[in-house]
Amino acid sequence: MFNRLQTKLTVLFAGLFALALSLVAVTVYLAIAGNAQQAVRDELAASGTVFDRVWALRTQRLQDGADLLSRDFGFRAAVATHDAPTVDSAVANLRQRLGLDLAFMVGVDGDVVGIDPKRLDVPKLWAALDAEDQAQGVFIIDGAPYQAISAPIMSPTLTGWIVFAAKLDDTEMRALERLSAIGLDAQVFDRRDGQWVTHNAGPQARIVGAYVDKALKEKTLKPSLLRADGENDLVLVKPLKALSPDGAAALVLRYPMAQAMAPYRPLFSAVILAGLLGAALVAAASWALSRGLARPIAALEVAARRLQRGEDVRVEVQTHDEIGRLAGSFNLMAS
């Protein structure tokens, strides 16, 4: 079908228009995607800063409560005399007043009051408390991460530590997510047996855990792209202090780029629709234009064949352009 001049011209014009429109569409998409990605990066960085502030404020609140109880004369006397009921009552009372998830006392002899010792790795906890004055950080209790704060109990020598802990569960993460202007996903990962895991493990937990390990090793402090299960996410990893020296924890903030691009989908659809309509109009106009150009050329072809057979032929000159002048020259030649 490309042996016809009319078809060639139509395909050429329509193809050039489609190419130009494709370049415009790609340029628009890349510009919008770049701006959307930068906006998400800025929001993730801002959310990380907000989390740092929230973490510091809660640390100070827990620390103030722990210091208050550890300095109470009656409480210190109860600890010194091993009055477990009084210690348990004082710890429970302050836990309820402060709205804490956990509050308990660890003695220098390893005894624990206020919580079932089976829920804790007591030797690791005792070592962490003994290694640092007012130790604080993330600690695993019942298989879940907690933000733990401690304060020494002096009577007058060290007799133990009071420990307050707030669970870093889904409720806490949803509260953090609501502080952000975008619907990001927040999770706390901790390292166990050489792997990074999260309490609420999803289908992408293993991929995100490997990314956390890489980001912390390379000290990547800015949001970066992570491709998981065919989707691109912007991920920010913020290291968290662990209570024990051999522990490690990190806050992971994620936002899918597909969600960032969702508001622009109507625009892309409109561009595609306009492109299809434009291509159809260009094809129709090109067909009409090429038909007007090809008709006198086709007439010249027919006349040339008749002249070849020895017939008397004359072509009607309708225009004064190159084709019209060619027709005039043909008539002179035929005469």
Side-chain angles (χ1 to χ4, degrees):
M1 65 179 177
F2 289 101
N3 291 329
R4 298 181 59 186
L5 178 61
Q6 184 176 356
T7 304
K8 290 181 179 180
L9 291 175
T10 301
V11 173
L12 176 62
F13 291 150
L16 289 176
F17 178 82
L19 177 60
L21 185 63
S22 298
L23 293 176
V24 172
V26 170
T27 302
V28 171
Y29 176 82
L30 292 177
I32 292 177
N35 290 334
Q37 187 176 125
Q38 185 59 48
V40 174
R41 289 178 185 273
D42 294 341
E43 187 58 38
L44 282 176
S47 299
T49 303
V50 170
F51 174 80
D52 290 339
R53 183 60 178 165
V54 171
W55 184 274
L57 289 174
R58 187 166 63 177
T59 298
Q60 188 60 50
R61 183 174 68 91
L62 294 176
Q63 192 68 63
D64 291 343
D67 290 341
L68 176 65
L69 183 59
S70 65
R71 295 173 183 175
D72 182 83
F73 179 79
F75 179 75
R76 288 188 296 173
V79 172
T81 58
H82 300 282
D83 187 355
T86 302
V87 172
D88 190 23
S89 176
V91 170
N93 181 54
L94 189 58
R95 178 181 62 81
Q96 293 176 357
R97 286 192 331 186
L98 296 179
L100 302 174
D101 294 309
L102 291 176
F104 54 92
M105 192 273 294
V106 180
V108 292
D109 55 359
D111 291 339
V112 179
V113 178
I115 188 176
D116 186 355
K118 295 180 181 179
R119 301 174 61 184
L120 304 168
D121 188 341
V122 178
K124 180 181 289 188
L125 176 61
W126 191 95
L129 297 175
D130 186 57
E132 181 183 356
D133 187 27
Q134 293 187 332
Q136 61 91 13
V138 177
F139 192 74
I140 305 302
I141 302 175
D142 277 342
Y146 281 75
Q147 181 186 3
I149 300 293
S150 68
I153 305 171
M154 311 297 291
S155 299
T157 60
L158 180 66
T159 56
W161 300 270
I162 183 70
V163 180
F164 288 165
K167 190 175 184 180
L168 302 174
D169 56 3
D170 292 341
T171 302
E172 184 68 24
M173 294 298 102
R174 300 299 85 79
L176 175 62
E177 292 169 3
R178 286 193 292 269
L179 297 176
S180 174
I182 58 177
L184 55 80
D185 178 72
Q187 289 179 298
V188 172
F189 280 72
D190 61 272
R191 190 173 60 194
R192 308 179 198 178
D193 299 328
Q195 294 184 341
W196 288 88
V197 298
T198 180
H199 177 61
N200 185 16
Q204 299 178 349
R206 183 181 59 82
I207 299 176
V208 178
Y211 175 82
V212 171
D213 185 64
K214 178 182 178 182
L216 292 180
K217 288 181 179 178
E218 298 178 355
K219 297 182 179 180
T220 304
L221 303 179
K222 296 181 179 180
S224 302
L225 276 176
L226 169 65
R227 187 166 183 83
D229 295 339
E231 297 181 357
N232 288 325
D233 294 348
L234 269 176
V235 183
L236 175 63
V237 178
K238 296 188 69 66
L240 301 176
K241 185 179 183 303
L243 184 67
S244 58
D246 60 342
L251 172 70
V252 178
L253 303 178
R254 297 170 55 200
Y255 188 78
M257 285 307 302
Q259 190 172 341
M261 297 298 294
Y264 302 101
R265 288 174 184 168
L267 175 61
F268 294 142
S269 300
V271 170
I272 293 175
L273 180 60
L276 293 176
L277 292 176
L281 291 176
V282 169
S286 301
W287 181 265
L289 177 62
S290 59
R291 183 179 181 183
L293 293 174
R295 185 181 300 162
I297 297 177
L300 281 171
E301 180 190 10
V302 173
R305 290 180 180 178
R306 291 177 58 190
L307 182 63
Q308 184 182 12
R309 292 195 297 268
E311 299 180 16
D312 185 14
V313 61
R314 181 177 177 82
V315 178
E316 183 180 356
V317 180
Q318 298 179 341
T319 62
H320 299 286
D321 54 11
E322 290 85 349
I323 296 179
R325 291 193 294 271
L326 176 63
S329 299
F330 177 83
N331 290 335
L332 291 174
M333 182 183 67
S335 300

